[in-house]
Amino acid sequence: MILVDTNVWIDFFRDEQKATHLPEFLKEKRICIHPWIFGELMMGDLGSQRKEILNDLKYLPHLPTHDLDMLLD
C-alpha cells in the first residue's frame, strides 16, 4: 500500500503533472489514506467537486491512528 500525502492529492486534484502515477495506483488499489490526511483535505478548498472527492476518498483503505502520548513514552 502507498500512503499519499496531502500535497500529492492537491496536485492530483489540480491535474498537475507531478501526480502522474496516482491514477494508475488508484486503479490497481494500491493507495491508502490516513485520517489526518483526510482531515487536512476536508479543511481545504476542493472546489465544486468537494462532496464527490470526499466521498470517494472515504472508500480507500484507512491507516490506523495512534495515541501520540503512547508513541512518545
Side-chain angles (χ1 to χ4, degrees):
M1 296 303 281
I2 301 168
L3 176 61
V4 176
D5 196 19
T6 307
N7 62 326
V8 177
W9 284 114
I10 300 289
D11 290 342
F12 175 69
F13 298 141
R14 290 181 179 163
D15 203 21
E16 294 189 14
Q17 295 299 320
K18 298 174 194 172
T20 56
H21 295 293
L22 191 51
E24 174 187 339
F25 294 153
L26 285 165
K27 286 178 187 175
E28 295 172 356
K29 298 182 179 187
R30 295 177 58 194
I31 301 297
C32 62
I33 194 164
H34 190 277
W36 294 351
I37 293 171
F38 189 87
E40 285 184 320
L41 292 169
M42 285 178 59
M43 291 187 298
D45 180 10
L46 297 174
S48 63
Q49 293 184 316
R50 174 185 177 76
K51 190 173 185 177
E52 180 180 277
I53 289 170
L54 293 175
N55 189 54
D56 289 346
L57 290 175
K58 78 179 183 182
Y59 290 107
L60 291 174
H62 281 60
L63 295 177
T65 58
H66 297 282
D67 181 7
L68 292 179
D69 290 332
M70 178 188 76
L71 297 174
L72 298 174
D73 287 337

